[in-house]
Amino acid sequence: MKNSFLYCLAAGSLALSFFFERSPDASITSRAALAPVVAEASLFPALTTTEPASELPTLVAAPANGPAAKPALVPTAADLAASRDSLAYNYYAQTLGLHLAFDENKDLLQSVTDWLGTPYRYGNNSRKGTDCSGFVTRVFREVYGITLQRSSRSMFSTTKHIAKSEMKTGDLVFFRRGKGPIYHVGIYLKNGKFAHSATNGGVMVSSLKQPYYQRNFYAAGRVPAAAEAEASAE
């Protein structure tokens, strides 16, 4: 009986020694070894993420023999001149209150514009002051190189008389009160408007439709030399 007990004790000791001497589980060892790698990968997800090649951005090179860029258009001298003329006509139209066709005498429009605001001064014809006939003679000298008679009455006697409906830019308009003599003259512009030097405001643009000028309008006259200059310029 005693021997049997010893035998059993020896067998149990052997079994226990065999159990404690086994190598650790391979799965545990592999997980422990992979842990640092997984932790490192979680810190740099952008570097470890793999995407299909179709989803990655690609650089597209420009075709070597693609269509050449169109050269920039360089304005010609005629284009620049037309642009300057357009700007000038727009300025004169706004300043003088006219509807222009952009084919009027630009020198005449410029001269009248330059004289606007000159005060009225009887017997004078300078930028410091001018009366109506003085203004007309100065403009015609500047634009056409023509020397007109100094008084409005003498101007009327040297012009070609025309109907009011036939007036053109550059014609002269004359005024008188009732049966009295001609006392005022101006330069017809367009749209029923004329430039003149008035006693109550100096050089300005007025309308023939204004009651005062409509009532006192007498006649229109054309200066032959100016008309010839206009015709040759067209």
Side-chain angles (χ1 to χ4, degrees), residues 118-121 184 196-204 206 210 212-213:
T118 301
Y120 180 87
R121 184 173 295 175
H184 193 57
H196 62 127
S197 181
T199 56
N200 61 346
V203 178
M204 63 177 68
S206 301
Q210 292 176 233
Y212 177 81
Y213 296 111

Side-chain angles (χ1 to χ4, degrees), residues 22-222:
R22 286 183 61 187
S23 59
D25 189 352
S27 63
I28 298 176
T29 304
S30 62
R31 287 196 298 271
L34 290 175
V37 178
V38 174
E40 182 177 324
S42 67
L43 293 175
F44 305 97
L47 299 179
T48 58
T49 303
T50 58
E51 296 180 359
S54 61
E55 297 180 4
L56 295 176
T58 56
L59 298 177
V60 180
N65 56 351
K70 294 182 179 180
L73 296 178
V74 179
T76 64
D79 293 333
L80 293 175
S83 178
R84 287 194 295 269
D85 284 346
S86 178
L87 290 174
Y89 276 119
N90 279 313
Y91 172 73
Y92 298 141
Q94 182 176 3
T95 303
L96 302 174
L98 304 174
H99 297 289
L100 300 177
F102 287 31
D103 58 358
E104 294 82 2
N105 188 324
K106 188 155 55 69
D107 292 335
L108 176 61
L109 298 176
Q110 179 179 350
S111 182
V112 171
T113 300
D114 291 343
W115 277 87
L116 287 180
T118 301
Y120 180 87
R121 184 173 295 175
Y122 180 76
N124 287 272
N125 64 347
S126 72
R127 296 295 177 91
K128 294 181 179 180
T130 181
D131 58 15
C132 62
S133 57
F135 164 68
V136 172
T137 57
R138 283 295 301 270
V139 170
F140 268 70
R141 189 185 309 164
E142 293 173 1
V143 177
Y144 304 110
I146 299 172
T147 301
L148 297 177
Q149 298 292 326
R150 183 61 178 84
S151 71
S152 57
R153 286 186 291 275
S154 57
M155 282 183 194
F156 178 73
S157 63
T158 59
T159 61
K160 177 184 177 182
H161 302 166
I162 58 175
K164 189 176 183 180
S165 60
E166 297 176 354
M167 290 190 303
K168 296 181 180 179
T169 302
D171 288 338
L172 301 181
V173 288
F174 298 92
F175 302 85
R176 74 176 185 179
R177 298 182 183 92
K179 299 293 184 178
I182 294 173
Y183 72 95
H184 193 57
V185 63
I187 303 172
Y188 183 74
L189 297 175
K190 203 172 184 179
N191 310 132
K193 295 183 178 181
F194 67 104
H196 62 127
S197 181
T199 56
N200 61 346
V203 178
M204 63 177 68
V205 175
S206 301
S207 173
L208 292 173
K209 296 180 181 179
Q210 292 176 233
Y212 177 81
Y213 296 111
Q214 188 174 29
R215 182 173 63 253
N216 294 318
F217 176 83
Y218 174 60
R222 183 167 296 161

